[in-house]
Amino acid sequence: MQVAVFILVVLIFVAVSGALVRLVRVPLPVLQIAMGAALAWPSSGLHVEIDPEVFLLVFIPPLLFSDAFGAPKRELIALRGPILDLAIGLVFFTIVGFGYALHWLVPSIPLVVAFALAAVLSPTDAVAVSSIVDKNMVPARLMNILEGESLLNDASGLVMFRFAVAAALTGSFSLAGASLSFLYAVAVGILAGVAALFIAAKALQLLSRIGGVPAEAQVLITILLPFIAYLGAEHFEASGILAAVTAGLLTGSTGIFRFLGVSARMQTISLWTTFSFVFNGALFIVLGLQLPEIIRKVPPELTGHYPVIQPVLTVVALTLCLIALRFVWIWIGDIGAGIAARLGKNKAEPFGLRVRLAGSVAGVRGAVTLAGILSLPFTLQDGSPFPARDLVIFLAAGVIICSLAIASLALPAISRGLVEPGEDADAAEERMARVGAAKAAIAHIESLAQTDEEHEGEVPGARLATANGIVAAYRRRIAASDEADEARAEVREAGRLELDLRLAGIGAEREAVSTMLRRREINDHTARALFTEITLTEALLKGRQTRK
C-alpha cells in the first residue's frame, strides 16, 4: 500500500510541476528536484528506500530508448566524430583528471574510489539541458552533439564505474582485462539491442498476419522492447544502457512500424510522448526525495572548522573542475578537428569561444549519476565498510545540484545571440519536404483521374471532379510554401480561416455527440468511437494551426 501511495504522490506532483513551471519560470528539472526535496525534508515527510538496480531498470531503459528514437539520426551520423570524442574520450579524460583532483582535494577518499566517482559523474543529461535553455538559442550542431553524447556516455561511464568499484572490492586492477571487458560490454550491448529489436519485429509481424489483434497488444510489444534489450544485455553482463540506446536508434530505420496498424501507431506515438514526460518528471522528483537524507548526513571529512561553508565550497570546486575538464577537452578536440580538416583539404567548422563555453556548462549531471553512485556496495569482500561511501554519495548529489544550478544561471546568458535570427533550418527543410510530397501526390492523383477505366457503379465524371478538389487542396499547400511573401501571406490567411471554420465545426460535432449521449440516443461505446475520431481530427487541425 505504501508503494502505491508513493507512486500516486509522485505522479500527482509530476502533473503539478508541468503546470507550475509556467508560473515560476525556472527550469523544469530544478523545480521537480525542489518539489521532491520539499516532500522529503520534514521528519514526517515522504521517505522511501530506492533500490538502485530497480531504479535503473524502471527509469533508464524507456527514457534512453525514447531519446534515441527521437534523436536526429542523420545529424548524429554526420557528427559521429565529435560525439564519440566526447562520449568515450572525454569520459576517460574526466576519470583521470577528476579522479586525481578529487583525491588531492579530499585525501581521505582512496584513489580508486575517486576514479569510481569520476566515472559515474561522466554521464551527462541532455534532457535537463533542453529544459534549461530553448533549443532555438543553442546552435543546432552543438545541441545534436550534446544529445548524441548523452546517449552514449551513460554506457561508457557506468561500465568504467563498475570496473573501478570491482578494483576497490578486490584491491587489484588490470588495464588489459578492463579494456577487454569494456569492449565486450559494448559489443554485446549493441548485439542485445539488435536482437531485442529483431524479436519485437517478428512478434509484431506475427500479430499482423493473425489479423484482428487489438492495437493495445501491438503497443505493448513496443513498450516492452527497451526493457527486453536492457535485461538481455545485463544477463550477459554487458551494457544494458547501450542495448536500450541501440534499440531506440534502429527502431525507425528498420521499418518495424510497418507491422503496426494505424490505430496502434497513433497510440504508440502518443504513449511514448506521455511516458517521456512522466518518467523524466518522476525521475527528478525521486532524485529530490533522496537529497534531504543525503544532506543531513554531511560527512565529517568535509566539515572541519567550517561545517557549512567547507562542504559547499568543495562541491562548487569539484563542479567547476568538471566544467574546466570539458572545456579543455572540447578546445583540444576543436583544434584537432581543424588540423585534420586542413590535412584532408576539407572545410573546418571550428567552435567559437562562447560555443565551447556553452558546451562545457551544458554538461549537467542527472539521475543516472545518482542511481549509479547509490549502487555502491556497503562492504568490501572482507566485510569491512566500503571506503568513503557516504562521502562520495554526498559529493555526487552535490555536483548534480550544483551543475544544474550553474547551467540554469549561466547557459541562457552564454547562449543568447549564438543563433542568428532568421528561418530555422528545420522549418525550411520541412517546407521543402511538404512541397515535394504535395507535387508527387498531385502527379499520382492526376494520372489516376485521367484513366479511362471506370469501376462498376461509379458515377461518370465523379472521379475527375473529386480529383480536381483534392489537387486544389495540394496546390494550396504548395502555394503556402511559396518563397514570395505576399503569396504566402494570402494563402496562409485563407488557410487560417479554413482551419478556424473546421475547428468550429469540430466543436459543434463534439457538442452534438455529447447531447445525444446525455439524451441516451447513443450508448457510451458509440460516443467513445465518435469522440476518438473527433479528437484525432482536432489534434491534426491544431497541429497545422500551430505551424501557421
Side-chain angles (χ1 to χ4, degrees):
M1 188 66 180
Q2 184 180 1
V3 175
V5 172
F6 168 73
I7 293 173
L8 288 174
V9 170
V10 170
L11 292 178
I12 289 171
F13 275 85
V14 170
V16 171
S17 67
L20 194 59
V21 73
R22 306 290 296 180
L23 303 176
V24 298
R25 295 186 178 277
V26 299
L28 184 58
V30 176
L31 174 63
Q32 289 166 338
I33 290 174
M35 294 174 72
L39 282 171
W41 194 271
S43 57
S44 59
L46 188 63
H47 300 278
V48 62
E49 293 293 330
I50 299 294
D51 184 338
E53 292 187 2
V54 174
F55 183 86
L56 281 171
L57 173 62
V58 171
F59 287 99
I60 302 306
L63 283 177
L64 290 180
F65 177 87
S66 177
D67 291 343
F69 176 71
K73 313 301 187 297
R74 181 188 62 186
E75 283 74 10
L76 295 187
I77 294 174
L79 297 170
R80 60 188 179 277
I83 288 174
L84 291 174
D85 181 49
L86 292 176
I88 298 177
L90 179 57
V91 167
F92 287 98
F93 185 65
T94 301
I95 291 173
V96 175
F98 185 87
Y100 279 108
L102 175 61
H103 181 63
W104 173 79
L105 188 63
V106 189
S108 59
I109 300 179
L111 187 59
V112 66
V113 178
F115 286 151
L117 178 58
V120 83
L121 283 172
S122 299
T124 54
D125 193 336
V127 175
V129 175
S130 61
S131 301
I132 291 170
V133 63
D134 188 352
K135 286 188 176 183
N136 295 327
M137 295 179 61
V138 178
R141 180 168 171 243
L142 175 60
M143 200 65 202
N144 291 330
I145 290 174
L146 293 174
E147 289 177 351
E149 176 200 8
S150 69
L151 288 175
L152 299 180
N153 65 8
D154 288 342
S156 58
L158 289 183
V159 168
M160 296 310 300
F161 170 71
R162 290 180 180 178
F163 294 154
V165 172
L169 290 173
T170 60
S172 62
F173 177 77
S174 169
L175 180 60
S179 300
L180 290 175
S181 298
F182 178 79
L183 293 175
Y184 170 83
V186 170
V188 176
I190 293 174
L191 289 176
V194 174
L197 190 60
F198 178 79
I199 293 171
K202 288 298 181 183
L204 290 174
Q205 188 177 14
L206 177 62
L207 292 180
S208 66
R209 287 178 178 175
I210 293 174
V213 177
E216 291 76 11
Q218 300 178 16
V219 174
L220 183 58
I221 292 176
T222 64
I223 294 174
L224 293 174
L225 174 55
F227 297 101
I228 294 173
Y230 181 89
L231 291 173
E234 290 293 319
H235 177 72
F236 293 100
E237 298 183 353
S239 174
I241 288 177
L242 193 56
V245 170
T246 301
L249 287 173
L250 297 179
T251 293
S253 59
T254 54
I256 188 174
F257 281 133
R258 71 178 183 272
F259 301 122
L260 294 174
V262 175
S263 177
R265 292 183 192 181
M266 296 300 299
Q267 290 183 42
T268 299
I269 294 172
S270 177
L271 192 61
W272 273 110
T273 302
T274 304
F275 267 12
S276 181
F277 174 76
V278 171
F279 275 76
N280 270 306
L283 186 147
F284 284 111
I285 288 178
V286 171
L287 171 58
L289 287 169
Q290 306 304 306
L291 291 181
E293 188 66 21
I294 294 173
I295 294 174
R296 289 190 189 103
K297 298 178 180 178
V298 178
E301 296 92 335
L302 296 180
T303 53
H305 299 292
Y306 306 96
V308 176
I309 297 178
Q310 186 172 336
V312 173
L313 290 180
T314 303
V315 167
V316 172
L318 292 175
T319 306
L320 293 177
C321 177
L322 284 174
I323 294 174
L325 288 171
R326 280 185 67 86
F327 182 83
V328 170
W329 188 262
I330 292 173
W331 179 57
I332 293 174
D334 214 11
I335 294 175
I339 294 174
R342 284 195 294 271
L343 292 176
K345 296 182 180 180
N346 299 321
K347 183 180 179 181
E349 297 182 44
F351 287 130
L353 176 62
R354 287 178 61 200
V355 176
R356 293 172 190 163
L357 188 58
S360 304
V361 174
V364 299
R365 273 62 188 177
V368 172
T369 292
L370 186 67
I373 202 65
L374 287 176
S375 67
L376 282 174
F378 287 93
T379 59
L380 299 176
Q381 290 181 340
D382 59 3
S384 60
F386 191 91
R389 184 180 188 276
D390 291 339
L391 179 54
V392 293
I393 289 176
F394 175 85
L395 292 175
V399 169
I400 291 171
I401 299 300
C402 191
S403 65
L404 276 169
I406 291 176
S408 301
L409 295 173
L411 195 54
I414 297 172
S415 302
R416 191 172 295 113
L418 286 179
V419 178
E420 295 293 333
E423 185 178 24
D424 181 49
D426 291 338
E429 184 174 291
E430 180 181 344
R431 184 160 54 84
M432 179 270 295
R434 287 182 179 277
V435 171
K439 288 181 177 179
I442 289 173
H444 187 60
I445 291 171
E446 287 180 341
S447 67
L448 291 176
Q450 290 170 1
T451 180
D452 295 331
E453 181 183 355
E454 290 186 357
H455 297 282
E456 183 179 353
E458 186 175 296
V459 178
R463 176 179 299 198
L464 182 59
T466 304
N468 287 336
I470 297 174
V471 167
Y474 276 114
R475 293 197 186 280
R476 286 197 299 270
R477 181 186 300 181
I478 294 174
S481 301
D482 196 284
E483 295 292 343
D485 292 338
E486 292 183 4
R488 290 176 63 184
E490 181 179 345
V491 175
R492 285 189 174 185
E493 178 62 18
R496 184 189 65 79
L497 293 174
E498 179 187 352
L499 283 176
D500 289 344
L501 291 174
R502 284 179 177 269
L503 287 171
I506 288 291
E509 286 186 57
R510 179 179 283 108
E511 181 61 31
V513 174
S514 299
T515 301
M516 286 185 284
L517 180 62
R518 286 195 302 268
R519 293 175 179 175
R520 298 184 180 179
E521 297 174 6
I522 59 176
N523 62 19
D524 295 86
H525 180 75
T526 302
R528 191 179 303 116
L530 291 172
F531 280 137
T532 300
E533 293 179 8
I534 290 171
T535 302
L536 178 58
T537 304
E538 184 180 34
L540 293 172
L541 291 174
K542 286 189 174 181
R544 288 174 53 192
Q545 191 178 48
T546 57
R547 292 192 295 268
K548 289 293 180 181

